[in-house]
Amino acid sequence: MKQIFIIAISAITFFSSCKKESAPVFDQNVKADLTVEFDNIAGAENLQLNTGSYINAAGETFKVSKLKYYVSNFVLTNTNGNVYTVPQDSSYFLIDESDEASHEATLKVPEGEYKSLTFTIGVDSLRNTMDISRRTGVLDPTTSAADMYWSWNSGYIFFKLEGTSTASTAPGNAFGYHVGGFGGYSTPTINNLKTVTLDLTSRGVPQVKAGKASNVHLMVDILKGLNGNTNMSFANVPMIHSAAAGKPMADNYISMIQHDHTEN
């Protein structure tokens, strides 16, 4: 009898341990951290500044010495269909491949599970034309944004890719792709702002909760920025320094960011 009792207790303990964990309880009135990580790659390879060698669709070998780009205006939709827009003053980030700390954008959002993420590559026209006192941190043209701002054109460079290629006809075989243009001012320029929307459901929905770490891991493939609607050639276009010249690149780089996985 004692043996049967012990077996019964063991069975109860076993089945109790196998019970599925209860779903987390979220409080929409509480905000918590969600990090969005931008992992820069070139095709199947991790991007390595100055040392990595890559080949574009034009068959040109190249090396990258600098990669920087702005992401901004984050909007998330939770699994209930509620939309949360991150306050604009807290929604600008400058991703710099040479600065690992810059690869993660930390957002404060209400607790919950989120099924989609939307953001802009670039700096919107409203912020571009705001008084300089409203353009601080990564948007300060005198410090962090010093090399991401066209002072002669009064606008931010949204995406900057520099390096060398033997195909380039520029001095030192250099290439420099600086893409900007927000369509502002009385004479609108070409608008190279691009909005990216990512479905998070197939590779892991972030469960944002206070005291818990959630990270949306994105892959940013620079080869998709060079190849796509227009296959960029360093031989034909070694330098881009205007909105019009940057449009083919911008039309490509809207497809360079993909959701890889989510860590909860």
Side-chain angles (χ1 to χ4, degrees):
M1 185 71 179
K2 182 177 180 182
Q3 186 178 10
I4 294 173
F5 178 76
I6 292 172
I7 292 172
I9 292 296
S10 298
I12 292 170
T13 302
F14 173 77
F15 286 114
S16 296
S17 65
C18 290
K19 283 178 67 179
K20 187 177 179 180
E21 282 188 30
S22 57
V25 177
F26 300 110
D27 185 346
Q28 290 286 294
N29 296 314
V30 175
K31 287 194 174 71
D33 286 347
L34 171 65
T35 60
V36 181
E37 183 175 355
F38 293 82
D39 192 349
N40 301 312
I41 60 174
E45 301 178 59
N46 186 41
L47 181 63
Q48 299 285 345
L49 294 182
N50 302 309
T51 58
S53 183
Y54 314 104
I55 302 175
N56 64 14
E60 300 166 340
T61 301
F62 67 98
K63 292 185 177 182
V64 176
S65 59
K66 180 178 288 189
L67 172 66
K68 300 175 78 171
Y69 51 91
Y70 278 105
V71 289
S72 62
N73 293 288
F74 285 79
V75 178
L76 294 103
T77 303
N78 69 16
T79 52
N80 295 325
N82 298 321
V83 176
Y84 179 74
T85 300
V86 177
Q88 201 179 49
D89 284 347
S90 304
S91 201
Y92 294 91
F93 302 89
L94 178 58
I95 311 302
D96 180 354
E97 174 60 20
S98 69
D99 179 8
E100 190 172 349
S102 75
H103 297 180
E104 290 188 356
T106 300
L107 312 174
K108 282 280 188 187
V109 301
E111 288 189 346
E113 296 183 328
Y114 290 91
K115 65 180 182 179
S116 72
L117 171 68
T118 297
F119 57 89
T120 298
I121 301 174
V123 180
D124 56 278
S125 59
L126 178 63
R127 190 64 55 156
N128 256 285
T129 55
M130 274 186 180
D131 186 87
I132 193 66
S133 64
R134 295 290 304 279
R135 291 185 277 141
T136 58
V138 297
L139 295 176
D140 187 344
T142 66
T143 55
S144 299
D147 72 336
M148 293 295 286
Y149 192 77
W150 284 326
S151 58
W152 50 270
N153 198 29
S154 296
Y156 291 93
I157 298 169
F158 304 156
F159 180 91
K160 175 180 281 193
L161 181 69
E162 296 179 353
T164 56
S165 171
T166 53
S168 172
T169 55
N173 296 128
F175 69 85
Y177 287 178
H178 301 180
V179 182
F182 59 88
Y185 292 123
S186 56
T187 304
T189 62
I190 288 177
N191 191 343
N192 286 326
L193 290 166
K194 297 298 177 182
T195 299
V196 176
T197 297
L198 301 172
D199 180 358
L200 306 179
T201 57
S202 62
R203 291 183 172 269
V205 172
Q207 299 177 336
V208 181
K209 190 166 180 60
K212 181 179 179 181
S214 286
N215 178 63
V216 174
H217 194 116
L218 308 181
M219 292 298 189
V220 184
D221 187 352
I222 63 163
L223 289 184
K224 290 183 178 177
L226 292 169
N227 313 325
N229 294 323
T230 300
N231 290 332
M232 305 301 297
S233 166
F234 304 123
N236 296 334
V237 184
M239 297 290 168
I240 293 174
H241 293 291
S242 70
K247 186 178 186 304
M249 184 80 177
D251 290 342
N252 284 347
Y253 67 48
I254 191 174
S255 302
M256 71 179 178
I257 304 178
Q258 303 294 328
H259 178 216
D260 187 71
H261 65 278
T262 295
E263 299 153 357
N264 285 310

